[in-house]
Amino acid sequence: MENIFIYIAVSVFLLASTLIILRNIFYKGEKNSGDIKRNIEELYKRVEENPEDCGAIFELAKCEEEIGDTESALSKYEMLANKGVLEKKEELNICKKLENKYNELGKKQEAFKYAVKIIKLEPTNNFYNIKVASILAKEGNFKLSNHYFNKAIVSKGEFMTEDLKCAVFVSYKMKDYKRCIAFAEEFRKRLIKEATTNKLSDNKIYIHNLDKDLISLYILSEELNIAKTFIEGILANKPIDKNHEFNINKFYLFVLYKLEESEKFKSLYNHLFNLYKMGENNKNYANLILDYAFYSYFLGDIQVSKNYFEVVKSFDIPELNIYYLDEILTYLNEVIKATAQLNRLKEENKLGDEKYKNDNYENYVGKTNIENWEKAVNLWEASFVNPIYILSLVEVKKTMDIDNILESIKVKEKSNAESNVVASYKVDKIFSLDRMAFKKLCQNVIRSKLSNYVIVQEYTDATHPANNNEEINYLTYSIKGSKKDLTLVSFKRWQKTEIGELMIRDFLMMVSESGAKNGILIAPVELSSSAKSYVSHNDRIRVYSRSQFNNLLKDEKF
C-alpha cells in the first residue's frame, strides 16, 4: 500500500512540473511574438521616416522571416542585395539566404541568380562554383560552365558524382581534353568506390563504358603511353568480362599501332588472330576484321587487306557501310594495278620515256578513288576517339533564360576569342627562291641539321624531269653506317597543303630508282591520315612535314 502512495505522489509531481513548463513556454512564446510585432511596428516607423535606412530594413526583413512572412522578407532582402549599399560580408550572407530560400520554394531562376552573385562576391567558394557550373551544363551554356568547373578543379573531392558527370561532359564538349581526363579519372574512381561500397551492379557497365571513353580521350590528347599503361592495367585485372576484354584489346592494338611499337603490335596482332579465330570470318568480330583490313594495308600487304574488306562487305552490316566498302575495293584494285604497271615500266627502264613522264600512283588510281580512301581512313581512326558514354552523361534542357539573368547581374560570358595574328612560317619563303638559292639552302640544311649525313652527289629524277624545278635531291651516306648504304634526301617545293599516301609511294619508288637504301622526304605540306600511317610503318623512309621543315630552317637566312 505504501508503494502505491509513493507512485501516486511521483505522478502528481511530474504532471505539475510538466504543466508549469508548458505554461512558461507558452507565456514566453506570447511574449516573444509580442516583442517581434512591436519591433516590426517600430522598424516600419524608422523606414517611413528614412527609406534609405538599410539597417532598419535588414532588421525588419529578419523579423518578418521569423514570424513566417517569407514573401515580404525576401522582397526586402532582394532590395538590399540589389542596392549594393551593404558591406561585402552582409551582402554575401543575404545572397546565401536568398539562394537557399528560393531553392526551398522551387524558384530555380531566382536561386540561380543569387548563386552567381555569391560567386561574384566570393570567387573561391568552390561549393557555389560547382553548383553554378552544373546548372549551366544542364542548361547548355558549356563555355561558362567550363569556366566555373575549372575554378574548382583543384578541389575534385568536393564534387558530388552528378557534378563530376557534368564536368566530364562539359569539358569534352569544349574540347578541353586534358581537363576532361582529370574529371573522368576522378569520376571513374567514384564509380568504382560506389560499386564496391553499395554493391551497385549497374556501375560495372558504367565503368566499362567509361574505360573505353577514357582511352579515347588519351588518344585525342596524344597521351598514347598513358593509354597503353591504362589498358594494360585493365587487362591485368582478372577476371575480366569477355566483351569488355574484346573491346579493350581492340584499343590496345590501335594504340600499339600508333606508338609504332612493331614487336608488341605484331605479337598482339597474332595473339588476337588466334584468340578470336579470325580465319573463320566470324560475323561477331566484324569490327576487328575491319581493323585488320586497315592494318594489313599499312603493313604493306594490300592483297590481304583486300581479302579482309571483302569479308566485311559480305557480312552486309548496315553500320559498317559508312566505310564506302565498294569504293575501298575499287581503290585497292587500282593500287594493285598501278603497282604492277609502274614496276613493269621500271624493269623495262621506260619511266623516263616521254610517253610515261606523268605516270605515277595518283594518276593511275584517280582523284575520286583517293578521296574515298582518305575518307574511309579518317572514319576508321575516328571510331577510336568517339566517347559515346560521356556524351550521354547530361541531358541538356533549357529551363531558364540564362542570358537575361547574367545580363541583369552584369556577368559576362568568358570569351574564347582567338588571336587574329596569323603565324608566319619561314618555310613559305622557299617558293620565292630561284633554283640556285634553293639548292644552296638545301645543302646548308643537310650540313647543319642533318649532320649525320654526308652529301655524295646531286640526284636528278630522270623519270620525271618536269619536277626538277620544284625539288632538289641528294644522295648521301650516314657517318654512322656504311658508305655503300645510300640515303636519298629530297627537298620538295610542292604547292599543296596536304599530300596523301600515294605520293609517299611515288617517293619510295624514286628512292629505289636512285639506288638508295633509304629516303628522307622534306616538304612544306601536311600529311593525310593515310600518309602518316604509311610512313610510320615503313622503316625505309622518314618524312619532315611543314612544321618540321620550318624548324629545319630556323637558323637560315634568306
Side-chain angles (χ1 to χ4, degrees):
M1 180 68 80
E2 189 178 338
N3 289 338
I4 292 171
F5 284 126
I6 292 170
Y7 176 76
I8 292 170
V10 170
S11 298
V12 169
F13 174 76
L14 289 172
L15 180 62
S17 299
T18 302
L19 290 170
I20 291 168
I21 290 167
L22 289 171
R23 177 180 171 279
N24 286 339
I25 291 171
F26 180 74
Y27 175 75
K28 189 177 180 182
E30 271 192 333
K31 187 179 178 184
N32 283 348
S33 177
D35 288 345
I36 291 170
K37 285 177 180 177
R38 278 192 293 275
N39 278 345
I40 289 173
E41 287 172 6
E42 289 172 8
L43 289 166
Y44 264 116
K45 286 177 184 176
R46 281 176 59 187
V47 172
E48 281 177 15
E49 290 171 5
N50 180 12
E52 300 300 319
D53 188 343
C54 295
I57 296 170
F58 183 53
E59 291 300 322
L60 184 55
K62 286 202 295 184
C63 289
E64 288 177 337
E65 185 182 2
E66 200 170 336
I67 63 171
D69 192 355
T70 306
E71 193 171 331
S72 181
L74 286 177
S75 67
K76 289 178 177 61
Y77 284 137
E78 281 204 272
M79 182 187 71
L80 290 169
N82 294 331
K83 269 192 172 188
V85 294
L86 299 173
E87 293 291 326
K88 183 179 176 180
K89 188 176 179 181
E90 288 178 335
E91 187 178 353
L92 181 63
N93 289 333
I94 285 177
C95 286
K96 287 180 179 178
K97 190 183 287 286
L98 285 165
E99 192 270 339
N100 185 53
K101 283 292 181 185
Y102 279 127
N103 264 327
E104 288 176 4
L105 294 169
K107 295 185 175 182
K108 289 170 57 179
Q109 193 149 312
E110 288 83 354
F112 174 74
K113 172 183 172 181
Y114 285 100
V116 177
K117 288 198 78 168
I118 290 165
I119 295 172
K120 279 188 75 177
L121 293 165
E122 196 176 28
T124 57
N125 190 317
N126 284 333
F127 174 80
Y128 280 99
N129 275 317
I130 295 166
K131 187 173 190 176
V132 167
S134 294
I135 293 169
L136 288 167
K138 292 170 183 175
E139 291 289 326
N141 193 317
F142 305 136
K143 190 190 297 183
L144 200 54
S145 173
N146 195 47
H147 166 71
Y148 287 121
F149 274 133
N150 288 342
K151 287 174 72 174
I153 192 170
V154 292
S155 306
K156 293 193 289 293
E158 294 182 33
F159 283 67
M160 301 296 285
T161 302
E162 286 301 311
D163 298 324
L164 283 170
K165 285 183 180 181
C166 292
V168 173
F169 176 80
V170 164
S171 49
Y172 177 76
K173 294 290 281 186
M174 291 301 298
K175 299 183 179 179
D176 194 348
Y177 301 130
K178 298 285 185 184
R179 284 195 173 94
C180 187
I181 287 170
F183 286 124
E185 288 173 340
E186 182 66 26
F187 179 39
R188 184 175 184 269
K189 288 178 193 172
R190 200 73 59 87
L191 287 176
I192 291 170
K193 184 179 178 182
E194 289 174 2
T196 306
T197 307
N198 305 321
K199 301 191 183 305
L200 300 174
S201 57
D202 284 348
N203 271 30
K204 183 179 178 183
I205 299 168
Y206 302 148
I207 293 164
H208 288 174
N209 288 333
L210 189 56
D211 284 347
K212 292 185 288 184
D213 285 6
L214 254 172
I215 297 167
S216 290
L217 289 170
Y218 292 136
I219 295 169
L220 271 172
S221 304
E222 298 183 351
E223 299 285 3
L224 294 173
N225 281 308
I226 296 176
K228 177 187 163 191
T229 303
F230 180 67
I231 289 168
E232 288 170 349
I234 294 171
L235 293 173
N237 191 14
K238 305 290 185 180
I240 182 171
D241 176 86
K242 292 299 179 185
N243 286 333
H244 192 46
E245 183 180 36
F246 172 78
N247 290 323
I248 298 304
N249 271 324
K250 263 175 58 66
F251 274 112
Y252 195 20
L253 195 61
F254 183 76
V255 167
L256 291 175
Y257 164 77
K258 281 292 184 183
L259 281 169
E260 301 173 36
E261 293 194 11
S262 300
E263 292 306 312
K264 271 196 169 183
F265 174 81
K266 287 175 184 175
S267 175
L268 183 63
Y269 182 96
N270 293 330
H271 171 68
L272 298 184
F273 184 91
N274 295 323
L275 179 64
Y276 298 114
K277 299 175 181 176
M278 297 286 285
E280 295 181 7
N281 299 333
N282 189 331
K283 191 174 182 177
N284 292 329
Y285 302 133
N287 283 301
L288 185 58
I289 295 171
L290 180 72
D291 293 348
Y292 272 56
F294 283 104
Y295 294 138
S296 299
Y297 179 87
F298 292 119
L299 292 173
D301 201 330
I302 299 178
Q303 188 57 53
V304 170
S305 173
K306 181 186 170 189
N307 293 342
Y308 278 130
F309 278 118
E310 285 172 343
V311 170
V312 174
K313 183 175 181 294
S314 72
F315 292 151
D316 194 25
I317 300 173
E319 55 265 34
L320 296 183
N321 290 336
I322 61 168
Y323 288 100
Y324 312 96
L325 295 171
D326 286 325
E327 288 83 351
I328 285 176
L329 289 168
T330 300
Y331 168 84
L332 293 175
N333 283 326
E334 293 303 318
V335 172
I336 290 169
K337 284 193 286 185
T339 301
Q341 173 68 357
L342 289 168
N343 283 337
R344 184 180 64 80
L345 292 173
K346 179 188 169 187
E347 288 167 6
E348 295 172 1
N349 291 320
K350 291 183 178 179
L351 279 173
D353 294 356
E354 182 68 21
K355 181 180 177 181
Y356 304 111
K357 67 178 182 180
N358 292 319
D359 282 24
N360 56 44
Y361 271 102
E362 287 206 335
N363 286 340
Y364 275 117
V365 176
K367 183 181 177 182
T368 302
N369 289 326
I370 294 168
E371 287 175 352
N372 288 332
W373 171 250
E374 292 291 350
K375 284 178 189 174
V377 172
N378 289 336
L379 281 169
W380 172 64
E381 292 199 349
S383 70
F384 291 94
V385 288
N386 185 21
I388 297 169
Y389 175 60
I390 285 175
L391 291 171
S392 71
L393 290 175
V394 175
E395 182 183 354
V396 177
K397 188 177 181 182
K398 290 186 181 293
T399 62
M400 295 186 274
D401 188 350
I402 296 292
D403 292 339
N404 190 43
I405 295 170
L406 297 177
E407 190 178 336
S408 72
I409 52 180
K410 296 180 173 58
V411 172
K412 293 181 181 179
E413 281 209 34
K414 300 296 168 184
S415 173
N416 279 354
E418 296 179 0
S419 170
N420 292 324
V421 178
V422 178
S424 175
Y425 282 89
K426 208 167 188 177
V427 71
D428 293 330
K429 296 180 180 180
I430 65 173
F431 298 104
S432 62
L433 300 177
D434 61 33
R435 181 172 172 76
M436 288 306 296
F438 183 44
K439 189 174 179 179
K440 184 179 178 182
L441 178 72
C442 296
Q443 290 171 351
N444 288 343
V445 168
I446 292 174
R447 288 172 184 141
S448 61
K449 299 300 192 308
L450 305 176
S451 52
N452 285 335
Y453 292 91
V454 177
I455 296 172
V456 176
Q457 66 181 57
E458 185 177 354
Y459 172 76
T460 302
D461 182 10
T463 59
H464 300 102
N467 295 338
N468 287 342
N469 194 48
E470 62 181 39
E471 65 181 34
I472 299 289
N473 308 302
Y474 288 102
L475 285 168
T476 68
Y477 67 86
S478 172
I479 59 175
K480 294 182 177 181
S482 169
K483 290 184 179 181
K484 292 180 181 179
D485 293 334
L486 297 177
T487 297
L488 179 69
V489 181
S490 182
F491 294 84
K492 308 290 187 182
R493 287 198 285 188
W494 283 328
Q495 299 273 5
K496 296 172 179 283
T497 55
E498 182 181 271
I499 60 167
E501 162 244 332
L502 293 184
M503 291 190 79
I504 306 296
R505 285 182 183 270
D506 283 326
F507 172 66
L508 195 54
M509 284 196 71
M510 181 181 166
V511 171
S512 298
E513 288 160 17
S514 71
K517 183 179 180 180
N518 300 304
I520 297 175
L521 174 63
I522 303 171
V525 294
E526 300 297 343
L527 300 183
S528 70
S529 297
S530 179
K532 286 176 185 175
S533 292
Y534 184 76
V535 170
S536 65
H537 292 278
N538 193 311
D539 55 10
R540 287 189 62 200
I541 51 174
R542 188 167 38 154
V543 177
Y544 290 83
S545 56
R546 179 174 170 79
S547 59
Q548 294 162 317
F549 194 175
N550 196 66
N551 288 337
L552 292 175
L553 300 176
K554 188 176 179 182
D555 301 321
E556 296 297 325
K557 293 180 180 178
F558 288 81

